């Protein structure tokens, strides 16, 4: 559990310089949990006294929001026709230094960082993130236009995966840590793309970047980093099995002790019901009665009748198979036979799921509120206003919404997988009696199992208000602060540095 104590770190020899590389970071650009982590972790590391900095592609939204932006000069990359610029600035709300790779030909596109307005991946994504990786390598080698070289390079997900691989040879290189936020996204491209990217032909091998006749970006990060981790202990176990390993389970098993799981935390500045500026009414454990104001506000925001007594269930997330929205769709007609139950959904993704939700909402306009799109404010309002939160993901590397739900006194109803299994304590009789329960957990990703868990929540909510209140308060008291997780990352950085310096244990 996140609240278990971390053994104190030995005093680091000096302040560590850490370059965190990501393809998104809140609030500059966000499609999912990676963005929250990519900003929160370096901020937490700086609070621990380390010199952590963040680097992102220079998307227009990021350029606009960067505070105090300063052009720092050109990144000289062989084979690129146009100059690539480096812009240095600050995170909009903190003192975190952020570098943006200014390459308009690749990144000056509005909207989603990975796909065009119709939702299709940009055809040149391999070229875009290859360029990003080459720029990262220059910064990691201390060869960019800044007088700063990291001790540790921390890559995140496939978009950064070729950087550790390109940092394999040479002296004075930083230690490499690579974090997998979701193994299902691997950055796979065909042989023609591999040739176009000017990668050495020898890299096309099973011990290199080739993966079933395709180029794999993520393999570069896994193969060539001193430490690799994913974002929860249970998901770390799961991905070492064929069922969850997406074909990479063997490689991950081979890493042995160099692979682990570290839970994400919550950024308290952004997700705190006591100070959240995006919700109708602030509240905390001492002022829980005020939470109902948020229920009435979010019912209105989604066009449903304001109804204090109704049990309101929420869902926020990407509409993809992973998230199990089809399970929710399968049970909604039955669930909505209960006139005292409402469901609020904020989501975007696969068009057939969007349409199915909209059709159902049209048929149940007093009980089902659906907003298709991405809306940060509404996400906060749903977390604060609902009574319980649905997260039936088929797999979930960590999951952030269940953590936000716990923090907002909105008990999560989750499938027992990945980070959901690690963070939600099921409302069994025993846990309820002991005052340990924080949510509802079901074992199989099937509609009947989800329905049974919702039914259990509904019964407790309606028949035992004191037990429900205890459930809420126990959830709100859980410690998912970034400080704990950042200390674990710090330990990983030191382990990676020790390995980098000892050739015997090179990967
Ligand atoms: P994933 O990274 O797989 O999408 P997580 O639960 O780790 O899932 O993180 C999802 C993050 O994205 C949360 O901060 C969540 O609030 C946010 N989010 C997802 N979909 C939407 C949406 N449609 N509108 C606003 N925020 C969203």
């Amino acid at each position: 559990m996140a609240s278990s104590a971390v053994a104190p770190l030995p005093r680091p020899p000096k302040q560590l310089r850490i370059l965190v590389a990501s393809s998104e970071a809140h609030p500059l650009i966000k499609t999912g949990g990676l963005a929250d982590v990519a900003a929160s972790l370096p901020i937490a590391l700086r609070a621990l006294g380390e010199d952590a900095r963040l680097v992102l592609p220079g998307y227009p939204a990021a350029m606009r929001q960067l505070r105090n932006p300063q052009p720092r000069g050109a990144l000289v990359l062989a084979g690129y026709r146009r100059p690539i610029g480096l812009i240095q600035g600050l995170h909009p709300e903190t003192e975190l230094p952020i570098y943006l790779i200014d390459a308009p030909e690749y990144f000056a596109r509005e909207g989603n960082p990975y796909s065009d307005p119709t939702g299709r991946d940009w055809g040149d994504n391999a070229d875009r993130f290859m360029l990003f990786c080459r720029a990262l390598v220059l910064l990691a080698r201390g060869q960019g236009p800044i007088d700063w070289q990291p001790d540790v390079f921390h890559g995140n997900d496939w978009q950064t995966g070729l950087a550790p691989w390109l940092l394999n040879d040479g002296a004075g290189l930083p230690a490499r840590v690579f974090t997998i936020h979701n193994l299902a996204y691997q950055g796979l491209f065909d042989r023609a793309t591999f040739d176009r990217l000017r990668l050495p032909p020898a890299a096309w091998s099973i011990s290199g970047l080739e993966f079933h006749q395709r180029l794999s970006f993520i393999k570069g990060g896994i193969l060539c980093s001193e430490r690799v981790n994913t974002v929860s202990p249970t998901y770390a176990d799961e991905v070492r099995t064929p069922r969850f390993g997406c074909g990479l389970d063997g490689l991950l098993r081979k890493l042995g002790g160099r692979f682990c799981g570290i839970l994400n935390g919550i950024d308290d500045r952004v997700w705190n019901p006591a100070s959240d500026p995006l919700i109708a009414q602030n509240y905390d454990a001492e002022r829980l009665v005020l939470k109902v104001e948020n229920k009435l506000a979010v019912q209105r925001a989604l066009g449903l009748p304001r109804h204090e007594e109704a049990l309101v269930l929420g869902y926020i997330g990407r509409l993809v198979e992973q998230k199990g929205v089809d399970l929710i769709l399968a049970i909604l007609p039955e669930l909505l036979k209960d006139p005292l139950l409402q469901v609020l959904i904020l989501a975007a993704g696969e068009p057939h799921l969007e349409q199915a939700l909209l059709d159902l909402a049209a048929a149940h306009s007093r009980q089902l509120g659906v907003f298709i799109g991405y809306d940060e404010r509404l996400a906060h309002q749903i977390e604060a206003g609902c009574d319980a939160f649905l997260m039936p993901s088929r797999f979930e590397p960590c999951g952030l919404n269940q953590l936000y739900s716990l923090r907002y006194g909105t008990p999560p109803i989750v499938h027992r997988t990945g980070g959901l299994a690690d963070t939600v304590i099921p409302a069994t009789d025993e846990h309820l009696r002991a005052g340990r329960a924080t949510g509802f957990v079901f074992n199989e990703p099937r509609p009947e199992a989800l329905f049974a868990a919702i039914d259990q929540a509904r019964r407790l909510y309606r028949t035992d208000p004191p037990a429900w209140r205890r459930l809420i308060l126990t959830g709100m008291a859980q410690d998912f602060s970034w400080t704990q997780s950042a200390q674990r990352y710090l330990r990983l950085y030191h382990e990676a540095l020790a390995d980098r310096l000892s050739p015997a244990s090179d990967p």
Side-chain angles (χ1 to χ4, degrees):
M1 299 304 307
S3 49
S4 66
V6 186
L9 280 166
R11 216 34 239 144
K14 61 175 175 113
Q15 186 187 48
L16 272 192
R17 288 176 304 237
I18 305 146
L19 183 64
V20 177
S22 170
S23 56
E24 51 183 279
H26 179 77
L28 302 179
I29 178 104
K30 170 169 167 178
T31 69
L34 168 63
D36 291 2
V37 179
S40 309
L41 175 60
I43 291 170
L45 288 165
R46 291 183 75 82
L48 292 176
E50 310 302 332
D51 182 6
R53 305 182 184 195
L54 175 64
V55 52
L56 299 171
Y59 314 112
M63 296 283 212
R64 281 195 296 272
Q65 292 175 77
L66 192 69
R67 188 157 57 87
N68 198 15
Q70 311 282 336
R72 296 300 302 266
L75 290 160
V76 183
L77 290 174
Y80 288 88
R81 283 175 289 129
R82 308 229 172 97
I84 314 288
L86 186 73
I87 316 265
Q88 181 171 359
L90 293 169
H91 182 272
E93 294 132 24
T94 74
E95 296 308 306
L96 171 68
I98 299 182
Y99 300 106
L100 297 181
I101 306 301
D102 185 17
E105 198 181 334
Y106 297 87
F107 300 126
R109 303 174 196 181
E110 293 287 351
N112 187 296
Y114 316 118
S115 52
D116 67 20
T118 69
R120 250 200 308 265
D121 283 354
W122 292 109
D124 59 351
N125 271 350
D127 308 77
R128 300 169 76 219
F129 292 108
M130 181 79 243
L131 167 84
F132 186 48
C133 289
R134 291 197 195 278
L136 296 176
V137 168
L138 223 57
L139 294 176
R141 287 182 182 275
Q143 294 167 347
I146 47 168
D147 185 21
W148 188 85
Q149 188 190 4
D151 303 303
V152 177
F153 171 81
H154 182 172
N156 291 277
D157 276 354
W158 74 262
Q159 295 87 353
T160 63
L162 293 189
W165 187 82
L166 291 165
L167 283 168
N168 219 21
D169 304 314
L173 293 173
R176 296 156 294 180
V177 169
F178 186 70
T179 301
I180 301 166
H181 296 263
N182 192 335
L183 193 62
Y185 300 96
Q186 302 184 355
L188 298 176
F189 301 95
D190 62 13
R191 171 74 204 219
T193 306
F194 174 85
D195 293 336
R196 191 173 74 238
L197 296 182
R198 294 177 286 109
L199 289 159
W204 189 268
S205 83
I206 195 162
S207 57
L209 300 175
E210 192 237 290
F211 180 72
H212 299 289
Q213 296 300 308
R214 292 200 280 173
L215 159 67
S216 166
F217 270 56
I218 204 169
K219 227 181 134 188
I222 296 173
L223 279 174
C224 292
S225 300
E226 281 73 26
R227 284 290 180 280
V228 180
N229 77 300
T230 184
V231 287
S232 69
T234 294
Y235 189 61
D237 289 341
E238 289 172 345
V239 292
R240 282 178 281 200
T241 67
R243 181 170 167 206
F244 292 96
C246 305
L248 290 169
D249 45 294
L251 187 59
L252 292 170
R253 279 195 300 277
K254 260 202 226 148
L255 294 181
R258 293 197 287 116
F259 179 62
C260 69
I262 299 178
L263 271 180
N264 291 331
I266 293 182
D267 190 333
D268 202 52
R269 291 173 313 107
V270 184
W271 293 96
N272 181 352
S275 55
D276 188 336
L278 301 179
I279 62 176
Q281 171 66 57
N282 291 121
Y283 61 98
D284 54 25
E286 278 76 50
R287 295 172 299 156
L288 199 54
V289 286
L290 299 177
K291 180 170 159 53
V292 71
E293 294 302 323
N294 293 296
K295 179 162 165 175
L296 299 174
V298 77
Q299 283 169 330
R300 179 151 67 188
L302 278 164
L304 299 188
R306 286 154 47 107
H307 198 331
E308 218 175 289
E309 300 304 313
L311 171 68
V312 182
L313 308 176
Y315 173 85
I316 302 166
R318 295 179 295 119
L319 291 179
V320 291
E321 206 211 345
Q322 175 200 339
K323 299 291 179 182
V325 187
D326 52 313
L327 307 181
I328 301 178
L329 273 166
I331 61 164
L332 268 176
E334 184 62 27
L335 207 56
L336 296 174
K337 285 183 184 160
D338 176 348
L340 275 182
L341 188 141
Q342 294 178 335
V343 181
L344 306 181
I345 295 181
L346 165 62
E350 289 175 16
H352 74 280
L353 293 171
E354 291 183 353
Q355 196 53 51
L357 286 170
L358 289 171
D359 290 346
L360 265 178
H364 299 272
S365 60
R366 296 180 66 77
Q367 283 179 277
L368 176 59
V370 172
F371 182 91
I372 299 294
Y374 190 91
D375 190 317
E376 192 74 20
R377 176 181 294 268
L378 190 53
H380 286 245
Q381 291 171 344
I382 289 178
E383 289 290 4
C386 288
D387 295 302
F389 193 86
L390 303 176
M391 229 161 144
S393 309
R394 290 199 160 72
F395 68 94
E396 193 56 80
C398 175
L400 289 172
N401 278 316
Q402 85 282 12
L403 302 183
Y404 303 151
S405 304
L406 290 166
R407 189 88 176 80
Y408 279 64
T410 308
I413 300 173
V414 306
H415 172 217
R416 188 196 303 276
T417 187
L420 301 174
D422 288 334
T423 55
V424 181
I425 304 168
T428 58
D429 288 345
E430 188 194 340
H431 287 157
L432 281 171
R433 261 197 314 274
R436 280 172 38 80
T438 60
F440 303 87
V441 181
F442 57 97
N443 291 328
E444 285 300 321
R446 284 186 291 106
E448 315 82 78
L450 170 62
F451 192 91
I454 294 174
D455 202 38
Q456 191 200 353
R458 172 164 60 183
R459 260 182 287 123
L460 194 72
Y461 178 81
R462 290 191 179 146
T463 62
D464 196 345
W468 186 264
R469 188 181 151 81
R470 205 159 48 242
L471 185 78
I472 288 179
L473 293 177
T474 309
M476 290 179 89
Q478 303 288 302
D479 178 8
F480 292 112
S481 69
W482 259 108
T483 315
Q484 293 258 357
S485 305
Q487 281 180 342
R488 289 192 161 92
Y489 274 101
L490 205 46
R491 177 174 294 279
L492 210 60
Y493 298 151
H494 283 286
E495 289 172 7
L497 271 167
D499 268 17
R500 184 62 147 171
L501 298 174
S502 106
S505 52
D506 261 0

